[in-house]
């Protein structure tokens, strides 16, 4: 099997139903802390999978814009929301839209920046931590570039003690978060020790020793 830096790896995981990260409800961190995001704005949801978070954001008045490389996952997101998307081809990518939700079926590293940005906010859950270390810098650079200066991001990370070769979700330290989004101020909003919280409150399906953290990547200046 190829590694998580390749879309083929993710296509295979979706095809095999190896999607233990998927939640059948909106993410509890998002629901509890979405008020930090600029009201009514465009919220980028990179590597969105089939996440219910986009439908929740749309219902709550935001304009979610997902990016997902696996087409079946992106279409499933609309089916789950009982929406039939309109479809168009733009700059080599498929753009799906319905019910105030947009999703680009594309590799986040290939999508033309002008197709997406600028955005007022982004919501990253299981996206940064899905990428190996050598790609995370490039990914964070895209998020920095797409976000308006006054925009804000909400980021969920996982820190654990397993080596990178074990595959995603990868461990991301607080120092990496601060360095990745400088010069934006970064604020820790919440922390969950999955050793004690595994089960009802754990929003990552990781049974191993792990700390999940919610970060606010704040406006510039
Ligand atoms: C761990 S899942 C998380 C999905 C979603 N954020 C959630 O919370 O359910 C990572 C997702 O990113 C997608 N993905 C991986 N690499 C990608 C890339 N380079 N561009 C766009 N999507 C990608 C995968 O297909 C997968 O659906």
């Amino acid at each position: 099997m190829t590694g998580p830096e390749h879309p083929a790896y993710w296509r295979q995981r979706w095809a095999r139903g190896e999607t233990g990260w998927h939640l059948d409800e909106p993410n509890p961190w998002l629901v509890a802390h979405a008020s930090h995001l600029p009201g009514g704005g465009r919220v980028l949801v990179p590597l969105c999978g089939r996440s219910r978070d986009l439908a929740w954001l749309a219902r709550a008045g935001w304009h979610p814009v997902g990016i997902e490389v696996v087409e079946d996952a992106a279409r499933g997101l609309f089916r789950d929301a009982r929406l039939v998307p309109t479809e168009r081809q733009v700059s080599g990518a498929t753009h799906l839209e319905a019910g105030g939700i947009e999703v680009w079926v594309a590799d986040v590293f290939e999508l033309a920046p002008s197709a997406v940005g600028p955005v007022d906010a982004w919501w990253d859950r299981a996206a940064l931590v899905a990428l190996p270390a050598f790609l995370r810098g490039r990914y964070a650079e895209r998020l920095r570039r797409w976000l308006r200066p006054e925009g804000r991001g909400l980021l969920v990370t996982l820190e654990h003690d397993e080596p990178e070769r074990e595959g995603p979700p990868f461990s991301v330290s607080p120092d990496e978060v601060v360095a990745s989004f400088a010069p934006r101020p970064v604020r820790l909003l919440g922390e969950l020790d999955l050793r004690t919280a595994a089960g009802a409150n754990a929003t990552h399906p990781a049974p191993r020793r792990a700390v999940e953290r919610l970060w606010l990547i704040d406006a510039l200046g």
Side-chain angles (χ1 to χ4, degrees), residues 146-196:
W146 280 330
L147 190 61
R148 291 182 198 282
E150 67 278 21
R152 290 167 148 198
L154 282 176
L155 167 70
V156 181
T157 58
L158 189 66
E159 188 177 28
H160 57 71
D161 48 17
E162 292 193 18
E164 283 255 327
R165 67 179 137 74
E166 293 297 321
F170 297 110
S171 183
V172 172
S173 69
D175 284 351
E176 182 176 336
V177 173
V178 172
S180 296
F181 299 104
R184 285 182 182 265
V186 166
R187 184 148 50 102
L188 182 65
L189 296 181
E191 196 168 76
L192 194 61
D193 184 340
L194 299 189
R195 284 171 303 177
T196 52

Side-chain angles (χ1 to χ4, degrees), residues 20-185:
W21 64 79
H22 179 75
L23 298 177
D24 282 330
E25 61 197 41
N27 186 280
W29 285 124
L30 176 64
V31 173
H33 294 275
S35 56
H36 288 286
L37 304 178
R42 293 183 83 223
V43 182
L44 181 66
V45 187
L47 284 67
C48 63
R50 191 174 178 156
S51 168
R52 307 266 174 156
D53 299 345
L54 288 89
W56 184 86
L57 282 163
R59 276 199 308 277
W62 280 278
H63 183 81
V65 182
I67 303 174
E68 171 55 51
V69 76
V70 178
E71 184 159 354
D72 277 357
R75 291 189 183 279
L77 183 159
F78 285 96
R79 274 199 303 281
D80 291 344
R82 297 183 206 289
L83 294 167
V84 179
T86 55
E87 181 174 337
R88 60 193 174 103
Q89 299 298 316
V90 186
S91 323
T94 301
H95 176 266
L96 305 173
E97 183 165 17
I101 302 170
E102 279 180 61
V103 178
W104 291 92
V105 181
D107 183 330
V108 73
F109 299 108
E110 303 289 331
L111 192 58
S114 57
V116 174
V119 295
D120 304 297
W122 47 253
W123 161 240
D124 174 319
R125 183 267 175 176
L128 181 72
V129 299
L131 297 170
F134 77 91
L135 274 182
R136 290 200 292 271
R138 265 179 73 195
Y139 169 76
E141 197 266 328
R142 298 217 131 200
L143 292 192
R144 284 200 312 272
R145 187 151 25 114
W146 280 330
L147 190 61
R148 291 182 198 282
E150 67 278 21
R152 290 167 148 198
L154 282 176
L155 167 70
V156 181
T157 58
L158 189 66
E159 188 177 28
H160 57 71
D161 48 17
E162 292 193 18
E164 283 255 327
R165 67 179 137 74
E166 293 297 321
F170 297 110
S171 183
V172 172
S173 69
D175 284 351
E176 182 176 336
V177 173
V178 172
S180 296
F181 299 104
R184 285 182 182 265

